[in-house]
Amino acid sequence: MRYSGLQVLAQGLLGNRGWTPAWRDPDPKPAYDILIIGGGGHGLATAFYLAKEHGLTNIAVLEKGYLGGGNVGRNTTIVRANYGLPGNSEFYSHSLKLWEQLESELNYNVMHSQRGIINLFHSDGQRDAYARRGNAMINQGDDAILLDNAGCRKLLPYLDYDQTRFPIYGGLYHPRGGTARHDAVAWGFARGADTRGVDLIQNCEVTGIDIENGAVTGVQTTRGAIKAKKVGIVVAGRSSQVAAMAGMRLPIESHVLQAFVTEGLKPCLDHVVTYGMGHFYVSQSDKGGLVFGGDLDFYASYAARGNLPMAEHVMEAGLTLMPMIGKAKVLRSWGGIMDMSPDGSPVIDKTHIDGLYLNCGWCYGGFKAVPGSGFSFAHLIATDRPHAPAARYRLDRFLTGRGLMDEEATGSQHNLH
Amino acid sequence: MQIRCPLCGLRDVREFTIKGHAIALSRPAPDAGDEAWNAYLHLRENPAGVTTELWHHTAGCGAWLKVTRNTITHEILKVALVRDGVERTDAD
Ligand SMILES: Cc1cc2nc3c(=O)[nH]c(=O)nc-3n(C[C@H](O)[C@H](O)[C@H](O)COP(=O)(O)OP(=O)(O)OC[C@H]3O[C@@H](n4cnc5c(N)ncnc54)[C@H](O)[C@@H]3O)c2cc1C
Ligand SMILES: [Zn+2]
């Protein structure tokens, strides 16, 4: 069913009895050409672009829970293209361009809102670093404006500018950055893939990967064995476990990242604001809740919940930056499992096993990457050649040391990003 | 989370800094080759379950601790002083 304003009107007049489910709920077939393990944002987008860009539709997405129950439905929804290093720069630029046409492409309202992102800086050194990053963004063809203190005051009058500890010198403004409705992104890609013939199979956990003579032949699941010529692993925080089924050990450590939302408030925050000194970032959802978060808890974790010290730290940082939110009540907090790579950048690559492909290492920044990652991973699976904007996301960069992409310049080591 | 430091007793996790997996204690020889160094620096078992890692009692006694912890429940199963467990190859 195609969605449109007219459809909403017509259904409204008919008592909304004509809506149909957005996707089928099929049983797995015994064999497919391609299996995608993981029905998160990246897995669903991969299936969608395999069908749309490459005309391949004998595909199943295998999801152990329900579609969108992982990080794609747990993140703080920031979408941006403000990376500084070659590799990341062209990839996220491509992804943002896909975002900008996504709603018409999917015929689905993902509530993509380019409200602008402002990264605040608090010292001369940080200003220089952001000026450099802004120039890198402009070189890539994206948008960046360096705001001084007065420029920030105009856009963000509610911040505490005169705090003695971290006075606000200015900010790097990325107008095309913003947010999107995270669930809707999963649902939109799911519907788009299903409509083109992809089987989306829920409650189907992959428990083994079958390999014969160095080539993948299929997978074992809780709903039986399924054969396939090609298999893509896209399971975010569970990457290490699934790769281990193919005998691989990955440069990944899983960590918990927390997020928080307040009760609904009248519109007060127009942008996404990040406070680099206090590890705090915030935006306001369309329902009115302030959605905010901070750093990782920093210990390895598979619990989708964090501990109080980080929650406390995030709240403190938020109140330092914008005291006006002090009376807002926090409604909920939650966590997601992040597949942290040593250099903080992802992997989209073949493996040493024929027909087995790997997409992981998105750390806490993989939501904005959903369309770009799906597009590039689909290209790799369909053609066996890397897609240009993702060509640097190689797995062997850790072994060779060539092409590491460490945006924070803290070193390519676990626990630093 | 609380960690029972063998020297200081049960203390809030805020007093500790985590270093990461206890693989850090098994540094390969300088000439062990790229594969061994890659395994040491980057590749991780990353278990969903029991793991061992290094914590530093930063705001306490300053000891390095080897902590056995469950990554699913966050339960801490065992805490030992690193100095008791490390095999020394040099003269001291
Ligand atoms: C609190 C928080 C805030 C974040 N904020 C942002 C942000 O503002 N901007 C941004 O860009 N990114 C953000 N992220 C990161 C982003 O959410 C992730 O990088 C991204 O969603 C990961 O890709 P995914 O959507 O495919 O993962 P997921 O949705 O986790 O998908 C992986 C799927 O694989 C399934 N799976 C696992 N094992 C198996 C198996 N054996 N068999 C079958 N299926 C399996 C899981 O059930 C899951 O559904 C945030 C993350 C969190 C937790
Ligand atoms: Zn101590």
Side-chain angles (χ1 to χ4, degrees):
Chain A
M1 177 193 282
R2 228 193 123 67
Y3 297 152
S4 65
L6 206 63
Q7 184 73 257
V8 171
L9 201 68
Q11 294 294 340
L13 292 173
L14 298 169
N16 282 312
R17 279 188 294 264
W19 297 112
T20 52
W23 54 81
R24 298 164 296 132
D25 190 18
D27 289 325
K29 292 191 287 190
Y32 291 89
D33 290 337
I34 302 173
L35 292 175
I36 302 297
I37 310 178
H42 292 238
L44 294 167
T46 303
F48 172 78
Y49 288 116
L50 276 169
K52 174 160 183 288
E53 298 295 321
H54 305 279
L56 301 169
T57 54
N58 188 17
I59 302 172
V61 176
L62 309 179
E63 165 54 47
K64 76 170 173 173
Y66 59 92
L67 298 181
N71 294 316
V72 71
R74 291 171 172 269
N75 64 79
T76 43
T77 79
I78 300 172
V79 173
R80 58 188 166 93
N82 60 353
Y83 284 69
L85 293 182
N88 284 330
S89 194
E90 60 264 33
F91 174 82
Y92 288 102
S93 183
H94 177 245
S95 195
L96 185 56
K97 291 187 190 97
L98 292 175
W99 275 104
E100 285 169 336
Q101 64 193 47
L102 197 58
E103 295 180 330
S104 55
E105 193 168 358
L106 294 176
N107 175 234
Y108 205 87
N109 182 8
V110 302
M111 296 163 76
H112 182 214
S113 154
Q114 295 184 291
R115 58 186 68 184
I117 293 180
I118 299 165
N119 303 122
L120 300 172
F121 50 78
H122 313 269
S123 68
D124 290 333
Q126 268 197 330
R127 182 199 285 119
D128 290 350
Y130 273 121
R132 180 171 180 268
R133 176 179 292 239
N135 288 335
M137 292 158 66
I138 291 166
N139 281 342
Q140 185 57 49
D142 293 316
D143 57 320
I145 301 166
L146 199 67
L147 300 174
D148 59 9
N149 177 289
C152 277
R153 279 182 196 263
K154 211 166 147 210
L155 292 179
L156 314 169
Y158 46 81
L159 301 180
D160 181 4
Y161 284 87
D162 305 314
Q163 45 176 298
T164 49
R165 186 67 183 89
F166 298 121
I168 295 164
Y169 280 40
L172 183 63
Y173 181 31
H174 172 37
R176 281 164 67 229
T179 59
R181 170 75 201 270
H182 48 13
D183 303 305
V185 174
W187 299 333
F189 274 116
R191 175 170 166 270
D194 174 271
T195 312
R196 286 169 176 78
V198 172
D199 281 359
L200 307 175
I201 302 176
Q202 307 182 61
N203 298 312
C204 181
E205 179 171 356
V206 171
T207 54
I209 296 179
D210 299 330
I211 297 159
E212 277 169 35
N213 303 323
V216 77
T217 58
V219 301
Q220 301 293 323
T221 79
T222 48
R223 296 179 69 173
I226 308 176
K227 292 215 164 305
K229 301 184 190 107
K230 294 182 172 182
V231 175
I233 302 177
V234 212
V235 292
R238 292 278 170 177
S239 296
S240 297
Q241 272 87 47
V242 176
M245 296 172 193
M248 294 174 69
R249 186 172 276 211
L250 298 183
I252 297 288
E253 204 171 72
S254 296
H255 282 252
V256 58
L257 179 70
Q258 305 194 58
F260 311 85
V261 65
T262 69
E263 59 192 330
L265 305 170
K266 291 259 170 65
C268 59
L269 290 187
D270 300 330
H271 310 87
V272 180
V273 181
T274 79
Y275 178 34
M277 296 314 288
H279 304 296
F280 171 84
Y281 64 92
V282 63
S283 66
Q284 188 168 22
S285 81
D286 291 345
K287 277 195 288 185
L290 302 179
V291 180
F292 60 99
D295 249 330
L296 295 173
D297 273 32
F298 279 115
Y299 44 83
S301 175
Y302 285 87
R305 60 175 187 283
N307 268 283
L308 271 177
M310 187 48 71
E312 199 176 71
H313 177 78
V314 169
M315 311 278 169
E316 282 171 4
L319 287 194
T320 315
L321 182 67
M322 40 180 86
M324 73 167 184
I325 67 174
K327 292 223 165 90
K329 292 195 173 55
V330 174
L331 276 192
R332 276 178 288 126
S333 78
W334 64 94
I337 310 168
M338 316 283 65
D339 39 335
M340 301 302 297
S341 69
D343 64 353
S345 293
V347 169
I348 299 182
D349 207 349
K350 300 182 201 179
T351 68
H352 67 284
I353 296 159
D354 275 348
L356 185 66
Y357 304 82
L358 179 68
N359 179 324
C360 67
W362 292 97
C363 302
Y364 33 68
F367 180 66
K368 69 183 85 68
V370 163
S373 163
F375 198 97
S376 293
F377 199 40
H379 184 280
L380 178 72
I381 294 174
T383 67
D384 268 318
R385 285 193 312 273
H387 183 230
R392 294 190 192 225
Y393 289 157
R394 296 171 60 124
L395 181 58
D396 68 2
R397 68 180 187 268
F398 301 101
L399 175 66
T400 63
R402 203 180 310 123
L404 293 168
M405 279 160 285
D406 170 16
E407 291 274 338
E408 293 161 10
T410 49
S412 177
Q413 269 188 48
H414 287 291
N415 237 357
L416 292 182
H417 295 277
Chain B
M1 227 149 58
Q2 293 178 317
I3 298 177
R4 190 178 298 282
C5 172
L7 301 177
C8 311
L10 193 63
R11 311 299 291 227
D12 191 274
V13 72
R14 287 172 178 84
E15 293 186 6
F16 300 83
T17 318
I18 184 165
K19 162 78 183 163
H21 196 271
I23 194 172
L25 296 173
S26 320
R27 181 193 287 262
D31 58 356
D34 289 351
E35 299 280 347
W37 276 94
N38 184 42
Y40 170 71
L41 289 171
H42 304 126
L43 305 186
R44 292 291 177 266
E45 187 199 344
N46 193 21
V50 176
T51 190
T52 45
E53 49 200 19
L54 300 181
W55 291 75
H56 183 238
H57 197 177
T58 318
C61 62
W64 278 102
L65 308 177
K66 194 170 174 180
V67 175
T68 309
R69 197 173 60 85
N70 187 319
T71 59
I72 298 174
T73 60
H74 296 162
E75 185 187 4
I76 290 175
L77 304 161
K78 204 172 122 194
V79 185
L81 291 175
V82 167
R83 70 170 186 221
D84 292 342
V86 184
E87 286 175 34
R88 297 248 171 174
T89 48
D90 48 347
D92 66 9

